[in-house]
Amino acid sequence: MYNKIHILISKSVDILSTLFHVDRKFIKFLFVGGINTLFAYIMYSIFITTPLPRPIALLCAYIVGVLWNFKTTGTLVFKSNDNSLIFKFFGVYILTYFINLIALNLLADVGVNKYLAQLIVVPPVSVLTFILFKLFVFKENNNDNNEI
């Protein structure tokens, strides 16, 4: 299944990169990030409909999302199959979980709907997560930025 996803992403990245004259790695990150974000939001939406408290629902969504994201982000964006990086990967998600939770609670406290609140929080938390992955988890070399 990952091979089919990889081929689809590679072809899409090539077309968009050429069309918009944008770095291929960035396009790939956005594409995979979009899939991961959709998956994470679906998981959050499922868990928030249960009687679980908001912090536990978010935690459950994060755990399922992290496992999914580790494989998609590692293999498709950073070309890494190093499963030993899962601990650093989880570390980034632990940090971003608490940042997400604080932001989510702040928005809920001012009356923002719990679904809309998470939708608002996802983009900035996603950007922070990518930066941390690039610098601390996968330690990508700047010379690799244009590779798929």
Side-chain angles (χ1 to χ4, degrees):
M1 177 165 172
Y2 283 117
N3 285 339
K4 289 180 182 179
I5 293 171
H6 187 263
I7 290 168
L8 174 65
I9 290 171
S10 292
K11 287 181 180 183
S12 299
V13 165
D14 286 341
I15 291 167
L16 292 172
S17 175
T18 302
L19 185 63
F20 294 108
H21 304 289
V22 176
D23 186 308
R24 298 165 84 203
K25 176 73 77 176
F26 181 69
I27 301 263
K28 184 180 262 190
F29 164 71
L30 292 177
F31 190 70
V32 173
I35 293 167
N36 291 346
T37 299
L38 178 61
F39 182 83
Y41 188 73
I42 289 168
M43 291 296 100
Y44 172 78
S45 296
I46 289 168
F47 284 113
I48 202 68
T49 61
T50 69
L52 294 172
R54 185 175 33 243
I56 302 301
L58 182 62
L59 179 62
C60 291
Y62 256 67
I63 290 169
V64 172
V66 166
L67 295 173
W68 167 268
N69 292 351
F70 180 68
K71 281 308 195 186
T72 59
T73 301
T75 58
L76 300 175
V77 176
F78 294 101
K79 290 187 165 185
S80 174
N81 290 312
D82 185 355
N83 289 332
S84 71
L85 297 176
I86 189 78
F87 300 108
K88 289 181 180 180
F89 200 85
F90 263 101
V92 167
Y93 270 105
I94 290 168
L95 174 64
T96 58
Y97 166 80
F98 285 108
I99 292 169
N100 190 325
L101 182 59
I102 290 165
L104 192 61
N105 285 334
L106 289 171
L107 289 170
D109 289 346
V110 297
V112 177
N113 172 285
K114 60 188 173 186
Y115 299 100
L116 180 58
Q118 182 64 9
L119 196 58
I120 292 168
V121 171
V122 163
V125 170
S126 297
V127 170
L128 174 63
T129 302
F130 175 74
I131 291 167
L132 294 173
F133 287 162
K134 185 174 176 126
L135 296 177
F136 299 111
V137 177
F138 299 102
K139 296 183 181 177
E140 184 177 87
N141 184 335
N142 285 337
N143 295 332
D144 295 334
N145 284 341
N146 291 325
E147 293 184 8
I148 288 186

